[in-house]
Structures are given as structure tokens and as C-alpha cells.
Amino acid sequence: AAGVIQSPRHLIKEKRETATLKCYPIPRHDTVYWYQQGPGQDPQFLISFYEKMQSDKGSIPDRFSAQQFSDYHSELNMSSLELGDSALYFCASSGGTGKGTEAFFGQGTRLTVV
Amino acid sequence: AQSVTQLDSHVSVSEGTPVLLRCNYSSSYSPSLFWYVQHPNKGLQLLLKYTSAATLVKGINGFEAEFKKSETSFHLTKPSAHMSDAAEYFCVVSSSGYALNFGKGTSLLVTP
């Protein structure tokens, strides 16, 4: 079965550079979530989209932005990268947002800022 | 606001013995609760979920959890641990259907 696809799997950037992470949800899923997981930390919710509109916002820095496109894939744009942005970034998708809707997670993009 | 507290950051059990990972939740609404597992350098996999149906929820790999409203708990159990169960376990709450709020995680170590 198709799963959530994230690209790239690994990314190395220098401070102050820009990075773009991509997420391709499971077919027919209309909701995408982004999470940031620092080393030894629990995943922190960044932002979510439902039907191409932002549905919820968490602890996403102002330097980051995201959007969901007409084909439901999503991109997380990160500018002015800092060392502290080094983390595993997960994308998840779900089919709707009803009570108990399960979110399926991708393998993550490991971003290293040097 | 909804949140979860995982009461143990590390749990160590011997192979073949029971597993208990504790989670308490706080939610203004009737919550949906999940347990996810994360193996090293892997993504997050759903073990089980509670959505106000049966209070005893059975998941994959022999895990189950019981929702106790009076105790605001959703503890994860397994009768007999396997070496392959060693991983990080996250208790997760969702009230709005949008953001999932993760607990700090419990690292399960299984010794031979």
C-alpha cells in the first residue's frame, strides 16, 4: 500500500541557507501535518493543512512557511537556517479530520544544519 | 487544551515478562488517544487508537490499552515482551482532529 513519501530523506545545509522539504500524502488523503523532532525529543507539531487551507498552527517559527498544493502534496520552506533547526521533520497525512482519524507518518527528512 | 503525560521516560523489562507503559491525558473534550511506536531511525507507526468506542483497545503486535476516564489514563500493556519491542513509545492525544499532541515518549528496553 502506498505510504506517505517525504523527500529528501537527508539534507545538509549551512547556516542562513534555505531548505525545502516535500511531502506526498497517501492518495485521497486531504490533510497533511508537519512535525519537528529534535534529538531525543518528542515530535512537536508545526502546522497542518486541510483541503489546501491551513487548518492549525503550532510552534512553527516565522522563518518557516508551508503550503499544500492542488495535488495535496505539501512543502515546508525553511529560511535563514539555524543550527537549532537540525532535526527530523515528519510529515503525516490523514483522510479527513474526524474524531479518531489516524495519521500516517512518513519516514521523515533528517535536516542537519552546519 | 489537550496534553498527555507519559509517567516513565525509560522502562526496562526482561524478555517474556509483561510490559506496562503509563500515560495520563488532559483534555477539555472527549479525546481521541493513540499510541505510536518509533524504532531507531524509523518513522512513527500506529499501535492502536481509542475513539470512544470500546474502552479496551487491541492493537498490533499483541499490544493493548485501556481507556479509564475516571483516572484519565490510557496505559499501554503487552503480556509478554519480545526483543523486537525495544523502541520509543509515544502516547498521543487529539481533540480537534488537527494537531496531534505527543507525550515526551517512553524508551522501552528489553533484556534477554
Side-chain angles (χ1 to χ4, degrees):
Chain A
V4 177
I5 305 297
Q6 291 188 247
S7 68
R9 291 293 309 279
H10 301 272
L11 190 59
I12 299 176
K13 290 286 186 178
E14 295 187 354
K15 285 192 302 183
R16 293 179 290 276
E17 283 194 318
T18 298
T20 297
L21 278 54
K22 297 185 178 182
C23 170
Y24 298 87
I26 292 172
R28 291 180 295 281
H29 278 191
D30 51 17
T31 305
V32 168
Y33 314 79
W34 285 98
Y35 287 83
Q36 177 192 59
Q37 186 179 30
Q41 303 294 313
D42 57 297
Q44 294 294 312
F45 172 69
L46 293 177
I47 195 167
S48 64
F49 293 87
Y50 169 67
E51 283 291 344
K52 293 153 279 185
M53 299 288 289
Q54 180 181 309
S55 54
D56 204 352
K57 191 173 182 179
S59 54
I60 185 169
D62 292 339
R63 299 177 289 108
F64 295 7
S65 64
Q67 57 182 322
Q68 186 180 30
F69 294 86
S70 58
D71 64 351
Y72 294 98
H73 94 273
S74 179
E75 295 184 3
L76 178 66
N77 297 294
M78 311 160 70
S79 63
S80 303
L81 286 169
E82 302 173 356
L83 295 178
D85 295 329
S86 296
L88 190 57
Y89 290 83
F90 285 110
C91 172
S93 74
S94 66
T97 56
K99 185 177 173 63
T101 300
E102 175 184 347
F104 293 82
F105 284 80
Q107 291 292 300
T109 294
R110 184 169 295 282
L111 172 66
T112 302
V113 181
V114 297
Chain B
Q2 57 277 2
S3 64
V4 290
T5 301
Q6 292 184 242
L7 302 174
D8 308 292
S9 58
H10 296 84
V11 169
S12 180
V13 300
S14 299
E15 190 176 21
T17 64
V19 175
L20 170 63
L21 305 183
R22 300 183 293 166
C23 173
N24 287 114
Y25 71 90
S26 172
S27 176
S28 303
Y29 308 95
S30 178
S32 295
L33 293 160
F34 309 81
W35 276 98
Y36 280 85
V37 61
Q38 185 177 32
H39 288 90
N41 299 313
K42 299 289 186 182
L44 293 151
Q45 181 183 21
L46 180 71
L47 281 177
L48 49 82
K49 66 178 181 180
Y50 165 77
T51 58
S52 76
T55 56
L56 182 62
V57 182
K58 294 187 183 298
I60 62 172
N61 300 335
F63 285 94
E64 62 182 40
E66 186 171 8
F67 175 76
K68 292 186 176 180
K69 187 175 181 179
S70 60
E71 299 176 9
T72 62
S73 69
F74 189 57
H75 301 334
L76 182 70
T77 60
K78 183 174 181 177
S80 176
H82 294 163
M83 296 297 291
S84 60
D85 294 329
E88 190 81 13
Y89 291 79
F90 292 98
C91 182
V92 180
V93 65
S94 169
S95 292
S96 67
Y98 292 123
L100 299 177
N101 293 314
F102 282 72
K104 295 297 183 184
T106 298
S107 180
L108 176 64
L109 175 66
V110 182
T111 58

